[in-house]
Amino acid sequence: MSEAERQRESRESLAHRVPDLAALELLLAVARLGSLGAAAREVGITQPAASSRLRSMERQLGVALVDRSPRGSRLTDAGALVTDWARRVVEAAAAFDAGARALRDRRDSRLRVAASMTIAEYLLPGWLLALHADRPDTAVSLHAGNSAKVAELLLAGEADLGFVEGLTVPTGLDSTVIAHDRLIVVTAPGHPWARRRRPLAAAELAATPLILRERGSGTRQVLDTALGGLARPLIELSSTTAVKASAVSGAGPSVLSELAVGEELAMRRLVSIPVDGVSLRRDLRAVWPTGHRPTGPARDLLSLTRG
């Protein structure tokens, strides 16, 4: 080999200099079966394709590997040596594949979900039941908190998939919209607002102390942004269920997801109060760390949210 050829070879990547696994598996089959036709059938290709693959490997290596004759195919001395090397490479590839499969099995054995309260309480139970039907062996853990906490868990690597209700996507996360929701003003039937004949003005809502979720919640973020600021809360609570219970008790008005109050409105435990001059529609999003698209059970759960 000339110096120029040696320098050119040193610049080529290993992938260009070493035959691929398909070619090595074909060579091993020829060595074992003594027939190119039988080897082709074993690896699932036609005999012409097997001949082409073998010739390509011989050109790549620069040596003859197999002597072909009407009586069959016999390895050359170089072919016998290359076959021994090929066996070690294929065995190493099989070990690599087994290790990768074990990693996938470990990933698929659990799913850590973080979700803001409304999604966790009113949408996720149905999605998780459907996921269990498809993946009964996957153990699912759910952390319910506000949207800020969901982002914190994802960025710390403590959750595989998150769901949030806020207006913006936290820095460091990618997202997709999975559903839409609307916030509505509600009071107990005995509250003065329940007897109003005209819609509530946005300015009056903003100036009224309300039963609210804590700062960092998607519901509060949407409401605060829509109204341009809020009065000091009448009561500040950490869950949708607690806010709803307080409103039902007559403690004061609140603003809650339409998803959360359907039963209470139907049974007249709460009354919806129309509001003029403000839109309280919001997007519900699935979120995950930037550049790490969900895989395995997280991918399957994400697909169920769009069903």
Side-chain angles (χ1 to χ4, degrees):
M1 180 184 295
S2 69
E3 180 62 26
E5 288 174 325
R6 277 194 292 270
Q7 289 179 356
R8 184 173 62 252
E9 182 179 274
S10 68
R11 290 194 297 269
E12 291 178 342
S13 70
L14 194 61
H16 288 92
R17 301 198 306 272
V18 176
D20 62 27
L21 283 174
L24 297 180
E25 288 178 323
L26 174 63
L27 181 63
L28 291 174
V30 171
R32 187 172 63 257
L33 300 172
S35 164
L36 185 61
R41 288 191 295 275
E42 180 172 281
V43 300
I45 60 176
T46 64
Q47 185 164 336
S51 295
S52 176
R53 186 174 294 178
L54 195 55
R55 285 194 299 271
S56 177
M57 180 164 49
E58 288 175 328
R59 286 194 302 271
Q60 184 179 25
L61 295 176
V63 295
L65 300 174
V66 176
D67 285 330
R68 305 165 186 83
S69 73
R71 296 187 300 275
S73 299
R74 182 181 63 82
L75 296 177
T76 64
D77 290 343
L81 187 58
V82 170
T83 298
D84 187 44
W85 297 338
R87 187 173 292 107
R88 298 179 211 171
V89 172
V90 171
E91 288 172 353
F96 181 95
D97 179 60
R101 190 165 54 249
L103 286 175
R104 289 193 300 272
D105 289 344
R106 186 172 69 182
R107 177 204 66 190
D108 293 353
S109 69
R110 67 169 188 174
L111 173 61
R112 301 167 301 169
V113 180
S116 51
M117 298 301 298
T118 300
I119 296 175
E121 291 178 319
Y122 299 100
L123 292 176
L124 260 172
W127 297 338
L128 293 179
L129 280 174
L131 180 69
H132 179 72
D134 292 339
R135 288 181 171 271
D137 296 329
T138 297
V140 179
S141 61
L142 171 61
H143 184 104
N146 62 36
S147 295
K149 183 61 177 180
V150 171
E152 178 185 323
L153 291 170
L154 286 167
L155 294 173
E158 296 175 13
D160 305 304
L161 184 64
F163 297 94
V164 297
E165 307 154 11
L167 290 172
T168 59
V169 179
T171 302
L173 300 182
D174 287 339
S175 73
T176 185
V177 175
I178 56 166
H180 303 285
D181 185 27
R182 187 170 66 96
L183 299 180
I184 58 177
V185 179
V186 293
T187 69
H191 191 276
W193 283 1
R195 297 188 292 274
R196 291 178 66 102
R197 298 196 177 192
R198 290 179 303 193
L200 189 67
E204 186 178 354
L205 178 62
T208 301
L210 303 170
I211 304 169
L212 294 175
R213 287 283 310 280
E214 79 287 3
R215 291 188 182 276
S217 75
T219 298
R220 183 147 171 188
Q221 180 192 51
V222 170
L223 184 61
D224 195 2
T225 301
L227 296 176
L230 295 169
R232 183 189 294 260
L234 178 65
I235 309 173
E236 193 173 73
L237 299 167
S238 61
S239 78
T240 300
T241 299
V243 171
K244 183 168 60 174
S246 295
V248 168
S249 74
S254 185
V255 180
L256 288 164
S257 164
E258 195 170 33
L259 294 170
V261 295
E263 181 180 343
E264 286 73 19
L265 293 175
M267 299 184 69
R268 294 287 298 174
R269 292 201 296 266
L270 287 175
V271 178
S272 177
I273 310 299
V275 182
D276 266 350
V278 65
S279 173
L280 296 178
R281 178 183 167 87
R282 63 179 177 174
D283 294 329
L284 306 182
R285 300 174 184 272
V287 289
W288 57 88
T290 298
H292 296 276
R293 186 81 183 176
T295 60
R299 178 197 58 222
D300 292 351
L301 178 58
L302 180 57
S303 70
L304 288 168
T305 66
R306 298 160 173 168

